[in-house]
Amino acid sequence: MSFALLWLPRVLEQAGLKVAEVPGWENRGLGDMGPVLGILCHHTAGPKKGNMPSLGVIRDGRPDLKGPLSQLGLGRDGTYYVIAAGRAQHAGAGNWLGVRDGNRHMIGIEAENTGLASDPWPEVQIDAYQRGVAAVLGHLGLSSERCAGHKEYAEPRGRKVDPTFDMKAFRSKVAESMNGGARPPLLIPALEPKPGAAGAAPRPTLRRGSQDSAVRLLCAALELPETSSFDATLEAKVREFQREAGIVPDGIVGPKSWKALDARRE
Amino acid sequence: MFNSAVLEVTMGILVVFLLVSTVCTAIREGIESLLKTRAAYLEMGIRELLHDEEAKGLARAFFNHPIIYCLYPGKYRPGSTKRQTLQRGGDMPSYVSGRTFALALMDIVARGPTTDAASSSPELAPLTFESLRQNVGNLDNPQLQRVLLMAIDSAEGDLEQVRQNLHQWFDDSMDRVSGWYKRSTQWVLFVVAMVVVGSLNINTITIAQHLYKNDMARAELVLMAERASQSAPAQDAALGQLMDLELPLGWDRGYGAPRLKHWHDRDGKFELWNDVFGTVLGLFITVFAAMLGAPFWFDLLGRVTAIRSTFKPKAPSSDPPAQTSAKNALNAGARAQTGQGSPSPSGGAEPPPDDGDACDHPIDSETADEDLPPARGGVMPS
């Protein structure tokens, strides 16, 4: 039997966000949630390496705590990982606008961040955080006041410090996004705007699953053995390259990545 | 003090009223679709309008006229001459338009009451203003003849105007039929509301007390109210929504019911107010609220929600822990007072949430980028 929050990926994708469904998410949860009255924002305090290193723990739980530990995970590249459609153990004791049982009434979002000063929040992730919260609240017909930081909800006060950013500013951004005041989401173009450096035809944007002859170009540029299918291993290599190049490490090879690859070759 | 809690309790009560009246209206419509009282009243109203209460002459001709006859199955059987609250309408039409009425009446006047080869022959002269006026005398119904003559003469030679006059006359008298039906509906709704409210024990006073003492239940109902004020609840879903509200409803949990246990606590002393009047009053408030109908409560809920939204949204709760535990104690006290043993899903009695979460815990198994599921979205459609 699947749980109630089956609309999550559709609503997030419609907001122009990157969404990845974690296999089995429809049936994952500790029973169904009650009426959803808000969203609780967390950060994982996980390792600094990788896009969403905490995903497995959020999905499966810890030896002392049964998973899932939140409904949504937010990767460093701004991708939402849909982990559970049912109830998750993310809230603990607390109170937000009268909501005391956060697990029953609030959707949990765990964003990947170490919570340390040495790990600033990437712009793409914060932007996706705000847009995603706005989209979910909008779908539920709730106001931006209904999204709380874990540190604001948790009791006794000071029990939790996540997330590290200012929740008031976050909520006003969410409200702006809900009222249509924010700029439209930045989408990656499907083709390069101008022909590549070699004067060839514009190269298409590639991502995992792409079956395109340009995948060979990509392998050549990364100095990898040639393949024709864009698989998870290649995606991880692309992310690594993007991290080194200082662009969004989302594993999607768009115009910016092609440009960076050209620069590397020269 | 008029604080936001009072307003929120009001909103919660309004949601309950809206749902209860929606349920009652749905049941009333179910009864109506079985009895067709409206059709019976319409048939009776037309008989009175045509001054033929026994349906021996003009009314029988009217209902047997082809343009009316096709509106109902079977043969015309006049209903009773006495009006009852739960009258059976049988197969009679529940609606006749004023235009159809006027056309049928004019045709009966001009071409005679029976439909046969003669009255339907194309050889007949076309219906004109003069032929209509001349034939009024054949009706053998002085009251109606007078009405028709007035309608014809005030039209000053315009056949279309005659039709409009008759149309108007029909519409005016149908307001009476609507009045009968409204009165019947009020009585039926009263009985239906008594049964619904009584069997579910929907006690307004108990619910208001519960909401006032219970922050959580109130928050849930306010949210429900905000949603319900956007779109009225569907009739078939209203009962389910009402039961999902986790309010003190039903007799099994002892809410609001005469508290026999407490009689013992009070040495068997019977308290007239708490044990009888309070319960009866609370139930009757709900009954009368249900009789006002769902549209009324939908309207009112919309207005109250608008008032609330003009207030500044509540600041995040910054109760020091001491105050919160005092509040919890209050809730516990309230529960003890109502003699409710079983934990309610909302408020202080919910199962204590465990403290676990994924934040601030060392992670022993990292998910590598290779093991992440594939993403979609974020790229412009090509």
Side-chain angles (χ1 to χ4, degrees):
Chain A
M1 191 203 86
S2 49
F3 294 120
L5 303 180
L6 294 177
W7 46 269
L8 274 173
R10 175 174 51 86
V11 166
L12 291 169
E13 203 178 355
Q14 275 167 5
L17 296 160
K18 294 179 288 241
V19 180
E21 294 174 14
V22 179
W25 68 277
E26 298 98 329
N27 308 316
R28 191 169 291 124
L30 303 161
D32 230 329
M33 284 185 72
V36 181
L37 304 176
I39 295 179
L40 206 50
C41 299
H42 307 256
H43 71 233
T44 57
K48 200 175 174 181
K49 219 176 75 194
N51 191 47
M52 187 91 215
S54 311
L55 186 67
V57 173
I58 298 173
R59 180 187 59 205
D60 304 329
R62 301 189 307 266
D64 60 319
L65 188 64
K66 210 165 173 270
L69 303 184
S70 74
Q71 281 79 18
L72 295 171
L74 179 59
R76 292 196 158 93
D77 65 349
T79 298
Y80 274 98
Y81 293 94
V82 185
I83 298 161
R87 183 176 165 135
Q89 307 209 58
H90 62 91
N95 182 359
W96 180 254
L97 304 184
V99 177
R100 289 216 183 80
D101 188 347
N103 290 342
R104 181 173 145 79
H105 295 293
M106 296 175 101
I107 292 176
I109 305 180
E110 285 279 4
E112 193 64 70
N113 189 276
T114 60
L116 305 173
S118 59
D119 184 19
W121 290 84
E123 198 189 322
V124 64
Q125 190 185 15
I126 282 290
D127 186 64
Y129 216 158
Q130 288 155 355
R131 286 177 196 279
V133 168
V136 171
L137 288 176
H139 177 84
L140 292 166
L142 302 173
S143 74
S144 58
E145 287 297 312
R146 296 267 170 196
C147 109
H150 199 198
K151 59 183 173 186
E152 297 174 299
Y153 163 89
E155 279 176 349
R157 300 281 153 204
R159 181 171 69 86
K160 287 287 168 186
V161 295
D162 61 317
T164 45
F165 48 76
D166 176 9
M167 280 307 296
K168 279 198 181 129
F170 183 84
R171 269 192 291 277
S172 72
K173 283 282 189 188
V174 169
E176 197 182 308
S177 185
M178 291 175 77
N179 299 332
R183 60 167 171 76
L186 284 178
L187 297 177
I188 305 168
L191 269 180
E192 273 187 298
K194 275 177 272 176
R203 289 163 291 188
T205 293
L206 302 174
R207 73 192 312 174
R208 199 203 298 190
S210 293
Q211 300 281 349
D212 196 289
S213 54
V215 176
R216 289 171 196 284
L217 289 176
L218 174 65
C219 292
L222 285 170
E223 293 162 12
L224 291 170
E226 226 172 67
T227 75
S228 61
S229 69
F230 198 140
D231 57 7
T233 322
L234 181 55
E235 187 190 53
K237 298 273 190 220
V238 171
R239 284 189 202 268
E240 218 168 281
F241 164 75
Q242 287 169 325
R243 252 172 233 129
E244 280 165 24
I247 53 182
V248 176
D250 54 7
I252 302 176
V253 185
K256 281 183 195 165
S257 299
W258 283 121
K259 214 172 137 194
L261 284 164
D262 291 344
R264 175 184 142 130
R265 196 180 258 183
E266 279 157 16
Chain B
M1 194 184 88
F2 185 76
N3 54 17
S4 62
V6 173
L7 197 60
E8 285 171 11
V9 171
T10 311
M11 284 172 76
I13 293 290
L14 288 181
V15 172
V16 173
F17 285 174
L18 175 61
L19 289 174
V20 174
S21 57
T22 305
V23 171
C24 292
T25 310
I27 295 176
R28 198 279 171 270
E29 281 174 16
I31 293 173
E32 168 62 18
S33 70
L34 284 180
L35 289 180
K36 302 207 171 67
T37 307
R38 201 184 159 76
Y41 286 174
L42 177 68
E43 193 261 342
M44 185 183 284
I46 289 177
R47 268 187 285 139
E48 285 193 11
L49 186 65
L50 297 178
H51 290 276
D52 182 17
E53 290 182 25
E54 315 268 289
K56 286 185 176 147
L58 188 55
R60 185 172 289 274
F62 176 81
F63 279 102
N64 282 326
H65 189 276
I67 202 173
I68 305 294
Y69 193 74
C70 65
L71 295 179
Y72 59 94
K75 285 212 177 318
Y76 173 60
R77 274 186 299 275
S80 111
T81 49
K82 221 171 141 235
R83 189 155 43 83
Q84 294 148 351
T85 302
L86 294 173
Q87 196 152 346
R88 283 181 166 277
D91 289 331
M92 284 293 107
S94 56
Y95 180 73
V96 173
S97 80
R99 186 187 149 78
T100 313
F101 172 85
L103 285 176
L105 191 57
M106 281 161 70
D107 189 58
I108 288 169
V109 170
R111 304 243 160 90
T114 50
T115 305
D116 52 22
S119 63
S120 59
S121 163
E123 302 296 319
L124 287 176
L127 198 154
T128 62
F129 185 78
E130 284 71 26
S131 69
L132 189 66
R133 193 174 194 288
Q134 276 162 16
N135 281 312
V136 167
N138 301 338
L139 275 183
D140 194 22
N141 186 332
Q143 293 93 339
L144 203 77
Q145 282 175 357
R146 194 161 174 173
V147 172
L148 282 168
L149 283 175
M150 203 164 65
I152 291 169
D153 290 348
S154 67
E156 293 172 345
D158 184 357
L159 201 57
E160 174 61 19
Q161 187 59 45
V162 177
R163 193 188 65 67
Q164 279 180 19
N165 287 347
L166 292 175
H167 187 158
Q168 188 59 44
W169 174 54
F170 177 77
D171 283 355
D172 290 347
S173 62
M174 281 307 110
D175 290 348
R176 252 182 92 220
V177 172
S178 302
W180 297 342
Y181 183 68
K182 238 179 230 164
R183 249 165 288 154
S184 154
T185 293
Q186 284 301 313
W187 277 111
V188 174
L189 263 185
F190 178 67
V191 176
V192 167
M194 291 261 273
V195 172
V196 169
V197 171
S199 59
L200 295 179
N201 187 16
I202 308 170
N203 185 328
T204 303
I205 297 176
T206 318
I207 293 172
Q209 280 173 346
H210 173 81
L211 289 181
Y212 193 73
K213 287 173 183 159
N214 199 320
D215 294 352
M216 184 62 223
R218 209 164 64 225
E220 232 176 272
L221 265 197
V222 164
L223 200 77
M224 185 74 201
E226 279 165 4
R227 267 186 225 158
S229 68
Q230 300 298 318
S231 63
Q235 283 192 346
D236 49 348
L239 189 60
Q241 286 180 11
L242 187 63
M243 299 320 281
D244 282 348
L245 288 180
E246 290 162 3
L247 287 172
L249 306 180
W251 294 99
D252 53 335
R253 285 191 266 176
Y255 291 109
R259 282 167 258 155
L260 294 170
K261 184 176 159 288
H262 283 229
W263 290 3
H264 293 295
D265 297 348
R266 287 187 239 117
D267 303 327
K269 212 169 81 195
F270 176 79
E271 283 183 8
L272 197 59
W273 169 253
N274 280 332
D275 297 327
V276 179
F277 284 155
T279 309
V280 171
L281 182 68
L283 292 178
F284 265 93
I285 293 174
T286 323
V287 167
F288 285 112
M291 283 175 67
L292 287 174
F296 175 83
W297 294 114
F298 181 69
D299 210 47
L300 199 59
L301 185 62
R303 281 183 213 180
V304 173
T305 313
I307 293 176
R308 183 172 178 273
S309 63
T310 58
F311 285 137
K312 252 187 103 178
K314 246 193 298 177
S317 158
S318 55
D319 287 355
Q323 210 178 326
T324 312
S325 57
K327 227 186 237 173
N328 284 340
L330 201 77
N331 275 340
R335 274 198 315 286
Q337 212 176 18
T338 50
Q340 161 208 356
S342 61
S344 94
S346 45
E350 52 198 314
D354 49 87
D355 272 0
D357 54 56
C359 329
D360 295 335
H361 279 272
I363 286 178
D364 45 8
S365 66
E366 287 178 29
T367 307
D369 284 352
E370 282 92 338
D371 300 330
L372 293 174
R376 55 174 200 270
V379 176
M380 271 183 226
S382 52

